[in-house]
């Protein structure tokens, strides 16, 4: 399968190349995007031995001068320390304003590298080569970049669009099962907020890898459309955060790395679905369908031992919170979301207590 999806953002538009065996064409895709010269490939210790050489060689063969930096795997790499490390590596490899970075890996590498590119020399170009399902369907598209600080997740970052996104579906063959499920959480999210037909597909065959390429392409189309309409999250783009307010709090309170991001999003979506039943008229039946799809993907539906007072405190420093409790993305039906929903605090607590036993 080979498909291209375009992200239409005027002079910042870019293609998403989706297909099997794409890694070897990264060099020519970068040429086509008008990139030149030196580049810093950033990856992690799991991805480097699998795909580092191929990416390096593809770039070298196309006339680029790459250097490869391999970082520890995992959420804790999205840190100030690793950001500073990348600046040092960029300096050592002589990256000037015409050079670029390549993020080869999951959302951790994509977010960190994107932010390094956004801030190095006040901004150089970069390329996303996502190798996790989560990064393919969500984080590599749309230009959100950033790092975590002890006070909260993604609190420091920038909007910085890539020059291109290139995904090789074959890389998913080496992705651990648990990571695949976590990525499916963002697929389910996309279906819930935008596409009831996609949701029905997931209900029929949530783990049908045979059609995964088509599902990824559909998620990219939806994300591209949302970002086209609202690149900097003035409104509509907020719907992509369905389940994420609670998820970010869960990740923070449980300790980064305890839950995979997609797992926390699954719990957050159950939470948001219950809130939606209470105040948006989502039917109990649709809420149950959401839980059933998540459960079939082996995703968690709740979490024990995280107290409301800690979750509340973490929500208060969510980056979308301005002076008070956050507003929520809720759904009135599967396939249609509303952003900026206010929820009474008593309800937030009551529903949290319901799913945290
Ligand atoms: P990740 O980057 O930590 O990757 C998950 C694990 O899979 C890592 O251990 C990695 O080494 C390994 N891995 C990656 N590709 C592999 C492959 N092909 N084969 C074998 N192993 C492989 O996690 P993730 O789930 O991809 O991304 C999560 C991050 O994305 C979070 O920090 C989250 O905040 C961020 N995110 C950002 C956005 C955005 O819009 N920027 C959207 C959603 C999530
Ligand atoms: N993952 C949320 C967004 O890109 O806006």
């Amino acid at each position: 399968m080979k498909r291209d999806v375009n992200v239409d953002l005027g002079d910042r538009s870019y293609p998403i190349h989706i297909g099997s065996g794409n890694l070897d064409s990264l060099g020519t895709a970068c040429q086509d995007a008008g990139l030149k010269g030196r580049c810093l490939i950033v990856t992690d210790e799991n991805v480097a031995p699998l795909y580092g050489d191929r990416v390096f060689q593809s770039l070298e063969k196309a006339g680029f001068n790459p250097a490869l930096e391999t970082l520890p795997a995992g959420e804790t790499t999205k840190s100030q320390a690793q950001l500073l490390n990348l600046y040092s590596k960029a300096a050592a490899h002589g990256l000037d304003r015409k050079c670029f970075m390549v993020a080869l890996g999951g959302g951790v590498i994509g977010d960190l590298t994107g932010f390094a590119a956004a801030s190095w020399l006040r901004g150089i170009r970069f390329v996303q080569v996502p190798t996790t399902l989560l990064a393919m369907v969500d984080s590599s598209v749309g230009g959100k970049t950033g790092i975590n600080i002890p006070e909260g997740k993604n609190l420091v970052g920038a909007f910085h669009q890539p020059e291109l996104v290139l995904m090789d579906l074959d890389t998913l063959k080496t992705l651990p099962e648990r990571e695949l499920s976590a990525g499916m959480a963002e697929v389910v999210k996309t279906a819930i907020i935008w596409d009831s037909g996609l949701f029905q597909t997931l209900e029929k065959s949530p783990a049908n890898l045979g059609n995964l390429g088509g599902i990824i392409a559909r998620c990219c189309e939806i994300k591209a459309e949302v970002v086209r309409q609202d690149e900097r999250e003035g409104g509509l783009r907020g719907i992509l955060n369905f389940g994420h307010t609670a998820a970010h709090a869960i990740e923070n309170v449980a300790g980064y790395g305890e839950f995979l991001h997609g797992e926390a999003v699954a719990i957050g979506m159950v939470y948001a679905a219950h809130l939606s039943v209470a105040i948006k008229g989502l039917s109990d039946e649709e809420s149950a369908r959401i839980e059933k799809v998540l459960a079939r993907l082996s995703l968690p539906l709740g979490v024990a031992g995280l107290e409301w007072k800690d979750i509340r405190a973490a929500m208060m420093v969510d980056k979308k919170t301005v002076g008070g409790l956050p507003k929520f993305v809720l759904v009135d039906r599967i396939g249609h979301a509303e952003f900026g929903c206010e929820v009474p605090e008593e309800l937030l607590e009551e529903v949290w207590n319901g799913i945290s036993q």
Side-chain angles (χ1 to χ4, degrees):
M1 175 211 167
K2 296 265 184 215
R3 275 275 295 281
D4 276 9
V5 173
N6 206 49
V7 183
D8 295 318
L9 291 170
D11 59 4
R12 281 167 293 104
S13 298
Y14 54 92
I16 305 169
H17 303 299
I18 305 164
S20 296
N22 272 357
L23 275 192
D24 301 314
S25 58
L26 179 64
T28 48
C30 288
Q31 282 175 336
D32 292 346
L35 293 161
K36 291 189 176 63
R38 293 170 197 272
C39 60
L40 180 66
I41 307 163
V42 182
T43 189
D44 74 28
E45 63 200 358
N46 295 330
V47 179
L50 294 167
Y51 309 113
D53 280 353
R54 269 174 74 192
V55 163
F56 192 99
Q57 279 163 25
S58 176
L59 287 163
E60 203 171 42
K61 215 168 129 196
F64 297 99
N65 177 357
L68 182 94
E69 172 64 3
T70 302
L71 305 179
E75 187 70 31
T76 49
T77 283
K78 243 172 82 172
S79 65
Q80 297 165 79
Q82 290 300 350
L83 183 66
L84 293 180
N85 171 44
L86 289 190
Y87 295 149
S88 299
K89 295 299 175 328
H93 192 50
L95 289 203
D96 64 24
R97 283 193 166 150
K98 296 202 177 97
C99 301
F100 62 104
M101 295 191 190
V102 177
L104 170 66
V108 165
I109 291 298
D111 282 11
L112 172 73
T113 308
F115 187 51
S119 46
W120 175 247
L121 306 180
R122 299 203 177 90
I124 64 169
R125 296 183 288 177
F126 87 113
V127 171
Q128 289 271 20
V129 186
T131 61
T132 65
L133 179 58
L134 184 141
M136 290 181 186
V137 298
D138 195 351
S139 63
S140 66
V141 176
K144 277 192 185 175
T145 71
I147 59 166
N148 306 322
I149 58 172
E151 287 77 5
K153 208 174 139 62
N154 296 335
L155 284 181
V156 180
F159 287 99
H160 190 54
Q161 299 293 345
E163 298 303 304
L164 71 115
V165 182
L166 179 138
M167 43 190 86
D168 186 335
L169 300 173
D170 293 344
T171 60
L172 296 177
K173 290 178 186 158
T174 56
L175 193 65
E177 203 62 38
R178 187 177 166 201
E179 297 288 352
L180 207 54
S181 287
M184 286 304 290
E186 298 283 9
V187 174
V188 174
K189 172 202 78 179
T190 306
I192 294 172
I193 60 167
W194 195 270
D195 189 341
S196 58
L198 176 60
F199 191 85
Q200 282 165 14
T201 302
L202 299 174
E203 280 182 306
K204 278 184 220 136
S205 55
N208 180 357
L209 290 188
N211 189 33
L212 199 55
I215 289 174
I216 291 168
R218 180 65 190 135
C219 289
C220 288
E221 280 173 0
I222 293 169
K223 181 141 190 194
E225 176 57 21
V226 172
V227 170
R228 184 190 67 75
Q229 289 188 37
D230 179 22
E231 183 184 2
R232 296 178 78 91
E233 204 168 317
L236 177 72
R237 185 167 177 168
I239 65 172
L240 297 171
N241 296 314
F242 180 69
H244 282 58
T245 303
H248 289 164
I250 291 164
E251 287 181 88
N252 183 275
V253 175
Y256 294 123
E258 179 65 24
F259 287 99
L260 298 181
H261 177 69
E263 292 169 344
V265 168
I267 302 167
M269 289 195 289
V270 173
Y271 184 61
H274 288 203
L275 295 175
S276 299
V277 170
I279 61 175
K280 283 289 162 195
L282 181 73
S283 67
D284 285 325
E285 184 246 330
E286 285 184 293
S287 177
R289 282 170 64 199
I290 290 171
E291 291 192 25
K292 194 169 168 195
V293 162
L294 294 171
R296 281 176 65 184
L297 291 162
S298 309
L299 287 161
L301 307 180
V303 53
L306 302 188
E307 294 197 13
W308 167 247
K309 70 172 171 40
D310 299 323
I311 292 293
R312 183 188 185 283
M315 281 181 181
M316 296 284 279
V317 292
D318 187 278
K319 66 185 175 309
K320 284 168 273 296
T321 303
V322 186
L325 280 167
K327 296 195 171 67
F328 281 76
V329 181
L330 300 178
V331 287
D332 52 5
R333 57 186 157 80
I334 290 171
H336 184 259
E338 288 177 35
F339 55 88
C341 304
E342 290 190 25
V343 185
E345 180 159 357
E346 314 77 65
L347 184 63
L348 290 176
E349 180 172 0
E350 183 189 318
V351 172
W352 178 260
N353 290 335
I355 69 159
S356 63
Q357 297 164 15

